[in-house]
Amino acid sequence: MGYLIDPKETIEVLNRYRFVFQKRFGQNFLIDSHVLDKMIAAAHITKDDLVLEIGPGIGTMTQALCENAREVVAVEIDPNLIPILNCDTLSAYDNVTVINEDVLKLDIEALVKEKNGDRPIKVVANLPYYVTTPIIMRLLESDIPVESITIMVQAEVADRMQAGPGTKDYGALSLAVQYYAEPFIVANVPQNCFMPRPNVASAVIRLTLHKEPPVDVRDEKLMFRLIRASFNHRRKTLVNSLMNEMGQELSKQRVLDALSALGLKETARGEEFDLAGWAAFTNKITELGK
Ligand code: SAM
């Protein structure tokens, strides 16, 4: 059996099983060996690692993961892919478990505990684009011990995750990701590296999780609510956008007092704040509410 990353092998497997691509599952299979090599290298996988792969497809990346990791757990939603993986493309590997499930419904915590104890796992995935953000946020916000997440996403989403204040891509996703992890864009990936071709360009990004959050914020949930409220109206001043979204629970005076205590103008905008700025602002809001 050859490696699937050869497009000819991929077509042979698809034909052998009369596989029909399901658009609703975001199925664009990787067919470029350079991109695969870059992704595997960026994930820094060793023979000690348990790797969680989300959406193995026909197993192209899974084969490379099995070669490099101690153990691989691959979670695939499409039941039509399971026989291809178990009976064909992954049958030569004894260090892989394929689970037929929606990753958003799977109890990943229990799975990791069972297979790896408290040791952190590495996540590697060519993500289905329709659920990129929920999957990432689930991994970041949960208590699952994760060391790094190396993923293929839409190029535009990768840019948003890595963006800083003062750029058009900066927003709630940038702050959420950067609170939990350090993002690094590994490679830009054109459409012709996939079968079928997606409509948009892609990028590989690695998120290395922080051991401790980089800022000290007393009420994490409040900070993210303030951030979302502010970026929902990014052209408005921070005061106006917060009054619009959270006026029921926050008085204008409290917001103005928090800004003034931090030496900021009444006309300040949320998009000007970096993560440390948001933490300081949230802590002031909490303090003034007591
Ligand atoms: N890893 C393969 C590759 O690189 O060629 C396939 C990547 S394809 C972009 C995304 C894969 O995720 C598909 O196989 C799709 O069926 C699967 N998928 C979509 N939604 C999923 C979900 N909620 N849970 C698990 N797998 C999902």
Side-chain angles (χ1 to χ4, degrees), residues 125-137 140 149-164 167-178 182-189 199-207 234:
N126 173 8
L127 284 182
Y129 294 165
Y130 76 107
V131 276
T132 302
T133 310
I135 292 176
I136 295 171
M137 292 320 297
L140 293 176
I149 304 174
T150 307
I151 40 177
M152 179 88 69
V153 296
Q154 284 183 46
E156 172 240 336
V157 175
D159 290 341
R160 278 165 47 206
M161 289 196 251
Q162 212 187 28
T167 62
K168 71 169 177 22
D169 293 324
Y170 188 55
L173 182 67
S174 327
L175 285 154
V177 165
Q178 291 165 31
E182 188 184 333
F184 172 72
I185 294 181
V186 174
N188 284 304
V189 182
N199 295 328
V200 291
S202 304
V204 176
I205 188 165
R206 184 184 61 230
L207 309 177
R234 62 188 296 154

Side-chain angles (χ1 to χ4, degrees), residues 22 24-31 53-62 75-78 81 101-104 125-131 135 194:
Q22 300 274 345
R24 70 194 162 111
F25 289 148
Q27 291 175 339
N28 301 96
F29 297 164
L30 189 60
I31 50 165
E53 187 191 5
I54 299 162
I58 55 169
T60 310
M61 199 151 64
T62 327
V75 183
E76 174 55 62
I77 197 169
D78 185 350
L81 289 166
E101 180 64 280
D102 177 345
V103 73
L104 290 173
N126 173 8
L127 284 182
Y129 294 165
Y130 76 107
V131 276
I135 292 176
F194 302 92

